[in-house]
Amino acid sequence: MQLHSLIASSAFLITSALAAATSSSSIPSSCTLNSHATATAQSDLDTYSRCETLVGNLTVGGGLKTGALANVKEIKGSLTIFNATNLTSFAADSLETITDSLKLQSLTILTSASFGSLQSVDSISLITLPAISTFTSNIKSANNIYISDTSLQSVDGFSVLKKVNVFNVNNNKRLTSIKSPVESVSDSLQFSFNGNQTKITFDDLVWANNISLTDVHSVSFASLQKINSSLGFINNSISSLNFTKLNAVGQTFSIVSNDYLKNLSFSNLSTIGGALVIANNTGLQKIDGLNNLTTIGGTLEVVGNFTALNLNALKSVKGGADVESKSNNFSCNALKALQKKGGIKGESFVCKNGATSTSVKLSSTSKHQSSETTSKTSKASSKVEEKNLTSGNIKAVSASSASSSSSSSSSSSSSSSKSSSSKANAAIVAPIGQVTSLVGLLTAFIMSLM
Ligand SMILES: *[C@@H]1O[C@H](CO)[C@@H](O)[C@H](O)[C@H]1NC(C)=O
Ligand SMILES: *[C@@H]1O[C@H](CO)[C@@H](O)[C@H](O)[C@H]1NC(C)=O
Ligand SMILES: *[C@@H]1O[C@H](CO)[C@@H](O)[C@H](O)[C@H]1NC(C)=O
Ligand SMILES: *[C@@H]1O[C@H](CO)[C@@H](O)[C@H](O)[C@H]1NC(C)=O
Ligand SMILES: *[C@@H]1O[C@H](CO)[C@@H](O)[C@H](O)[C@H]1NC(C)=O
Ligand SMILES: *[C@@H]1O[C@H](CO)[C@@H](O)[C@H](O)[C@H]1NC(C)=O
Ligand SMILES: *[C@@H]1O[C@H](CO)[C@@H](O)[C@H](O)[C@H]1NC(C)=O
Ligand SMILES: *[C@@H]1O[C@H](CO)[C@@H](O)[C@H](O)[C@H]1NC(C)=O
Ligand SMILES: *[C@@H]1O[C@H](CO)[C@@H](O)[C@H](O)[C@H]1NC(C)=O
Ligand SMILES: *[C@@H]1O[C@H](CO)[C@@H](O)[C@H](O)[C@H]1NC(C)=O
Ligand SMILES: *[C@@H]1O[C@H](CO)[C@@H](O)[C@H](O)[C@H]1NC(C)=O
Ligand SMILES: *[C@@H]1O[C@H](CO)[C@@H](O)[C@H](O)[C@H]1NC(C)=O
């Protein structure tokens, strides 16, 4: 513990500081906060400036207009500044460590918060700070960071932070950029509903447990190698996802509803432990950039207007496939070939393009639907398949699905949603009648696939 910068009344300070260094129980009572210590005026804060270490939880609130906590280097506990609606600025520039949380919340006219020496804190929350323009700190160690509903345009103050557990930035409508040198995120990195022009740069991040991005404009993750759990890009205005070092995603990997997305580049990605979901990215015509992907542990789900889906290295999909393109130009041949070789396991295999009008999961349909619905859906799909037997652009039903019995709730719910869309199509595609012969044809077709 360094004492050289200490002010006045040094005898007391030295005693208490040395005491703090050796045993917290011997810190003088003046430096131990009572259980509901609250400062509502600068004079209250001044009483703490005799202490290098404060033990306990300090709350700042009430009507003070500016606040400064001088000299205190460590809080063994938390600092909360809450509902001080006349507070315009706060500074605690000697503070280096807060062992528990630092929370600034509901400070309607606070424009600046300065913690220029703060290096270590368990968690930081900046919540509902509609006027704030600067937050200064020098954080090297923080477990959890939450920044929500602030007017910050950039997130500074974390420029030397290397490791974090949670980094969650949401609803900051004026935010335009976040640049961070974080190297690992042991729980989650989440950005959502910030300004829709937000640029995110995490070029030193090597691994994260999970990452979820919504409403982001551009991303750069030049070093990212591994996602232990899930990776999701939902509803962003990102035009290009360039993750050329990423090698593995432990669980689900989703790219959904990114209307401006044109390019994917995941050239080193080889395994996904869970599902791969690429859906409703309206501008994504060619789905490539996944040329090293060999294994998908869950379902392969791809929905959209895409004309091409290049998964050239894919060898194994463990949870079935549902690939649906609105485009007539998309061909299912490659996936069908993989499925025939046994590369796609799981309960159902559906692949269709804009030319095929319907699909249905046979075994589940017959188990869970009324017989009339079954006839209609079977009939509709058999008709389509009959016409497209030579074209290759067909919906195929996996042989293994025939053995899927009463099964799990997820399988029955997915089958019912599929058959409901099948029902609508069925009415258009074919009138009722000739059910038996068409079902027979369909059965023959399934046998031919086996
Ligand atoms: C400070 O608050 C935390 C909970 O937020 C509590 O666990 C802890 O005991 C408090 N510390 C003191 C000294 O009151
Ligand atoms: C804030 O300042 C106004 C005007 O000076 C005063 O009326 C009000 O009571 C103050 N708010 C609080 C929480 O003290
Ligand atoms: C915030 O402070 C005002 C008075 O300044 C008080 O009326 C209000 O109840 C406080 N809100 C909360 C959530 O404590
Ligand atoms: C961003 O938000 C603004 C205002 O809400 C909107 O006009 C604009 O279209 C949005 N841009 C994108 C790319 O979504
Ligand atoms: C992150 O992954 C863990 C599993 O490792 C999961 O429990 C948690 O819910 C995930 N968090 C988010 C925000 O997705
Ligand atoms: C993708 O990122 C790599 C490495 O950061 C870079 O060399 C390459 O130019 C980027 N490609 C695109 C299309 O942005
Ligand atoms: C995630 O994977 C990295 C790299 O393999 C590993 O070092 C880290 O311990 C894993 N983290 C978690 C939370 O499992
Ligand atoms: C995506 O955006 C649409 C329209 O802006 C919105 O209705 C929907 O809730 C968003 N979904 C998510 C997951 O944010
Ligand atoms: C694809 O993976 C192989 C090894 O699995 C690796 O040697 C190769 O560099 C990867 N390709 C790219 C473009 O990263
Ligand atoms: C894609 O959009 C359709 C229609 O809006 C919707 O039913 C479906 O749930 C979406 N898919 C995903 C994965 O969000
Ligand atoms: C297909 O493209 C049209 C317009 O180009 C768009 O309206 C529609 O939402 C897209 N559908 C999907 C599933 O991406
Ligand atoms: C069958 O496939 C061909 C070629 O893709 C397509 O032109 C035709 O419309 C399809 N027939 C039906 C009934 O979908």
Side-chain angles (χ1 to χ4, degrees):
M1 195 167 290
Q2 294 187 341
L3 300 174
H4 60 84
S5 68
L6 287 183
I7 23 62
S9 51
S10 50
F12 168 77
L13 278 165
I14 288 165
T15 319
S16 68
L18 288 175
T22 52
S23 152
S24 63
S25 62
S26 57
I27 292 175
S29 63
S30 62
C31 293
T32 298
L33 300 166
N34 67 38
S35 61
H36 297 289
T38 302
T40 56
Q42 181 58 47
S43 56
D44 297 332
L45 290 170
D46 290 341
T47 64
Y48 303 120
S49 66
R50 296 174 295 117
C51 308
E52 189 172 88
T53 297
L54 290 179
V55 179
N57 301 321
L58 175 61
T59 299
V60 178
L64 81 174
K65 296 194 169 82
T66 63
L69 182 63
N71 305 323
V72 176
K73 285 189 169 177
E74 178 177 27
I75 295 178
K76 291 188 168 170
S78 64
L79 174 59
T80 302
I81 309 175
F82 174 65
N83 196 28
T85 48
N86 285 350
L87 187 66
T88 58
S89 70
F90 188 87
D93 285 320
S94 302
L95 197 54
E96 293 169 3
T97 301
I98 299 174
T99 59
D100 198 339
S101 62
L102 170 64
K103 189 178 217 176
L104 276 63
Q105 183 167 6
S106 301
L107 306 171
T108 47
I109 62 170
L110 184 78
T111 57
S112 103
S114 181
F115 296 86
S117 307
L118 188 60
Q119 293 188 13
S120 173
V121 59
D122 182 60
S123 79
I124 291 194
S125 305
L126 305 179
I127 298 172
T128 311
L129 307 175
I132 196 161
S133 59
T134 61
F135 172 79
T136 311
S137 78
N138 190 33
I139 303 280
K140 290 198 175 91
S141 163
N143 281 326
N144 305 311
I145 299 173
Y146 301 93
I147 301 175
S148 177
D149 189 20
T150 76
S151 56
L152 289 171
Q153 291 182 16
S154 65
V155 173
D156 308 314
F158 302 101
S159 59
V160 291
L161 183 68
K162 296 289 184 192
K163 282 198 320 193
V164 71
N165 186 42
V166 170
F167 202 143
N168 185 324
V169 180
N170 68 77
N171 289 287
N172 302 284
K173 298 298 181 194
R174 298 177 65 185
L175 193 69
T176 56
S177 73
I178 300 182
K179 194 169 177 163
S180 163
V182 159
E183 291 168 2
S184 67
V185 176
S186 55
D187 187 346
S188 68
L189 182 63
Q190 270 185 288
F191 295 94
S192 52
F193 315 118
N194 297 298
N196 66 8
Q197 296 301 311
T198 307
K199 293 184 175 177
I200 295 184
T201 308
F202 275 70
D203 281 339
D204 299 319
L205 186 64
V206 175
W207 66 267
N209 189 48
N210 40 33
I211 296 183
S212 160
L213 303 180
T214 292
D215 251 347
V216 168
H217 189 61
S218 75
V219 291
S220 180
F221 285 82
S223 307
L224 188 64
Q225 292 175 16
K226 176 163 179 192
I227 299 292
N228 310 55
S229 298
S230 300
L231 175 60
F233 302 98
I234 318 285
N235 260 12
N236 297 284
S237 56
I238 296 171
S239 60
S240 173
L241 290 174
N242 186 5
F243 285 65
T244 45
K245 292 230 172 82
L246 183 63
N247 178 248
V249 175
Q251 293 172 18
T252 303
F253 179 16
S254 318
I255 303 176
V256 175
S257 298
N258 302 288
D259 290 348
Y260 300 83
L261 189 61
K262 296 261 181 308
N263 290 311
L264 302 183
S265 183
F266 292 86
S267 50
N268 198 37
L269 181 60
S270 69
T271 62
I272 296 171
L276 171 60
V277 181
I278 304 178
N280 299 348
N281 303 290
T282 49
L284 191 60
Q285 293 286 307
K286 272 193 163 184
I287 302 178
D288 53 11
L290 290 157
N291 293 332
N292 242 9
L293 183 61
T294 57
T295 307
I296 297 173
T299 308
L300 170 63
E301 183 182 340
V302 187
V303 178
N305 289 324
F306 54 94
T307 55
L309 173 62
N310 297 335
L311 297 170
N312 303 332
L314 191 59
K315 290 200 169 57
S316 168
V317 178
K318 301 204 171 76
D322 180 3
V323 174
E324 305 183 21
S325 174
K326 298 270 184 297
S327 166
N328 290 357
N329 297 329
F330 172 66
S331 165
C332 287
N333 287 350
L335 283 173
K336 267 178 51 205
L338 181 62
Q339 198 260 344
K340 264 193 165 168
K341 278 194 291 188
I344 301 181
K345 306 224 165 25
E347 289 195 348
S348 85
F349 175 75
V350 170
C351 185
K352 57 180 185 166
N353 64 17
T356 49
S357 61
T358 188
S359 72
V360 61
K361 198 167 123 200
L362 289 182
S363 61
S364 307
T365 304
S366 56
K367 302 270 184 210
H368 299 293
Q369 303 291 315
S370 73
S371 59
E372 194 193 350
T373 309
T374 307
S375 321
K376 278 197 205 170
T377 52
S378 303
K379 185 172 153 139
S381 57
S382 65
K383 186 155 185 160
V384 169
E385 281 155 3
E386 188 181 8
K387 284 196 175 177
N388 277 283
L389 274 176
T390 53
S391 77
N393 290 318
I394 59 172
K395 167 224 155 254
V397 178
S398 81
S400 68
S401 74
S403 65
S404 80
S405 55
S406 45
S407 81
S408 68
S409 62
S410 80
S411 103
S412 77
S413 78
S414 80
S415 75
S416 69
S417 76
K418 287 213 179 74
S419 52
S420 69
S421 73
S422 302
K423 261 188 273 179
N425 288 330
I428 300 164
V429 173
I432 302 174
Q434 300 171 313
V435 167
T436 338
S437 64
L438 283 168
V439 168
L441 237 177
L442 180 58
T443 311
F445 169 68
I446 293 166
M447 299 313 279
S448 77
L449 277 181
M450 304 169 78

